[in-house]
Amino acid sequence: MGLGRLLPVLVLALALVTGSRPQEQPPRESHNLNWNKFSGFWYILAMASDIRGFLPGRDRRKLGASVVQAHRVGQLKVVLAFNRLQGCQSHTLILRKDGKKPVFRNTLKGVEGFRVLSTDYSYGVVDMRLGRAGRTSKTLLLFSESLALGPSLVARVQGSRQTVSSFLSMKKFIDICEIRELTRRATVLPKDGKTRP
C-alpha cells in the first residue's frame, strides 16, 4: 500500500478501534477562544466543501496556507492562499465579530461565518460559511502549525506525540465532516501536488 493511502486507512482504523460516534450537535466555537494565541501562520492540510469547483482537479491539489491575525478589537484579518489553475491565489478578508454569536463575518465580501470549532492551538478545525443571494455553502478547513500530517513525515516520526496529536486532529476533522455531511467531499491536500496511487 502506497504512502498516499496510508493516512486515510490509519484514520479509518483509528475511528473503528475507538468506536467513536460524532456528537449529535455540531460543535460550536467557545466564547473564550484566545484569538491572539490562535493568530499566526497555518498550513491548510485538509478541506471539505459543498461548493462545486472549490477544489482544483486531483493533479493540481496542494497544501493551502492561511494567516490569521487579531486585527483590531472585534476584527480579524484572514488571508487564505490556494493553488488554482492560474497559480497560487490569495484572498484577504477583514472580518467583524458578530455582536451576539462567537463568529466573524463580512457579508459584503460573501463571508457569512468564520469560526474555529476545535483547537488546541497546534491545529484548528475552521468552519467557513460563504454565500450570497440567499445561497450558503459549507467549507471545513483543517489548519495545522506543522506539516506533521503528511504521510512521508508520519513514517519518519512514528510513535511520537506529534503524530498522535496529528491523528487526533484529523479524527476530529473527519468527525465534524460527518456531522456537517461533508465526509464524501473531504480530502487531504498533498504537500507536493502529486497524487499517490
Side-chain angles (χ1 to χ4, degrees), residues 71-141:
H71 192 54
R72 291 185 190 138
V73 175
Q75 287 188 348
L76 200 62
K77 181 179 180 181
V78 179
V79 179
L80 296 168
F82 291 102
N83 190 38
R84 297 283 185 232
L85 289 174
Q86 304 83 4
C88 185
Q89 292 183 336
S90 68
H91 305 279
T92 302
L93 300 163
I94 302 294
L95 307 173
R96 288 174 183 75
K97 188 162 179 68
D98 185 283
K100 298 178 183 176
K101 299 178 183 177
V103 65
F104 286 83
R105 6 176 145 254
N106 184 336
T107 52
L108 295 175
K109 297 282 186 178
V111 179
E112 296 195 4
F114 181 95
R115 72 182 91 217
V116 177
L117 299 177
S118 177
T119 189
D120 68 359
Y121 301 104
S122 70
Y123 84 92
V125 178
V126 175
D127 176 36
M128 257 184 19
R129 299 292 172 126
L130 306 174
R132 287 202 172 144
R135 298 181 69 190
T136 302
S137 63
K138 301 180 281 190
T139 300
L140 288 177
L141 304 170

Side-chain angles (χ1 to χ4, degrees), residues 1 5 37 40 104 124 128 150 184:
M1 179 179 300
R5 293 187 184 193
K37 195 172 177 182
F104 286 83
M128 257 184 19
R184 290 182 182 261

Side-chain angles (χ1 to χ4, degrees), residues 11-164:
V11 170
L12 179 61
L14 180 65
L16 292 174
V17 168
T18 60
S20 169
R21 294 277 178 214
Q23 305 167 3
E24 290 299 317
Q25 292 294 319
R28 301 189 187 281
E29 175 197 48
S30 67
H31 286 276
N32 60 357
L33 182 74
N34 183 340
W35 283 102
N36 288 324
K37 195 172 177 182
F38 191 79
S39 292
F41 177 85
W42 295 95
Y43 292 101
I44 301 173
L45 301 181
M47 61 189 316
S49 181
D50 62 358
I51 303 172
R52 218 175 240 282
F54 189 77
L55 280 174
R58 283 178 120 18
D59 58 334
R60 297 195 177 160
R61 290 182 190 166
K62 282 188 179 182
L63 290 175
S66 180
V67 175
V68 177
Q69 194 175 26
H71 192 54
R72 291 185 190 138
V73 175
Q75 287 188 348
L76 200 62
K77 181 179 180 181
V78 179
V79 179
L80 296 168
F82 291 102
N83 190 38
R84 297 283 185 232
L85 289 174
Q86 304 83 4
C88 185
Q89 292 183 336
S90 68
H91 305 279
T92 302
L93 300 163
I94 302 294
L95 307 173
R96 288 174 183 75
K97 188 162 179 68
D98 185 283
K100 298 178 183 176
K101 299 178 183 177
V103 65
F104 286 83
R105 6 176 145 254
N106 184 336
T107 52
L108 295 175
K109 297 282 186 178
V111 179
E112 296 195 4
F114 181 95
R115 72 182 91 217
V116 177
L117 299 177
S118 177
T119 189
D120 68 359
Y121 301 104
S122 70
Y123 84 92
V125 178
V126 175
D127 176 36
M128 257 184 19
R129 299 292 172 126
L130 306 174
R132 287 202 172 144
R135 298 181 69 190
T136 302
S137 63
K138 301 180 281 190
T139 300
L140 288 177
L141 304 170
L142 176 59
F143 282 16
S144 178
E145 286 184 325
S146 69
L147 295 173
L149 202 56
S152 58
L153 195 57
V154 169
R156 289 199 307 261
V157 292
Q158 201 72 28
S160 77
R161 186 171 164 229
Q162 191 171 14
T163 302
V164 171

Side-chain angles (χ1 to χ4, degrees), residues 167-184:
F167 282 123
L168 293 176
S169 63
M170 178 55 89
K171 182 181 179 326
K172 181 64 112 173
F173 176 76
I174 296 298
D175 284 350
I176 295 172
C177 283
E178 226 173 85
I179 293 166
R180 303 286 172 127
E181 299 176 353
L182 292 172
T183 308
R184 290 182 182 261

Side-chain angles (χ1 to χ4, degrees), residues 182-196:
L182 292 172
T183 308
R184 290 182 182 261
R185 297 184 175 160
T187 188
V188 176
L189 300 172
K191 177 181 173 185
D192 57 8
K194 297 178 184 171
T195 55
R196 313 275 189 301

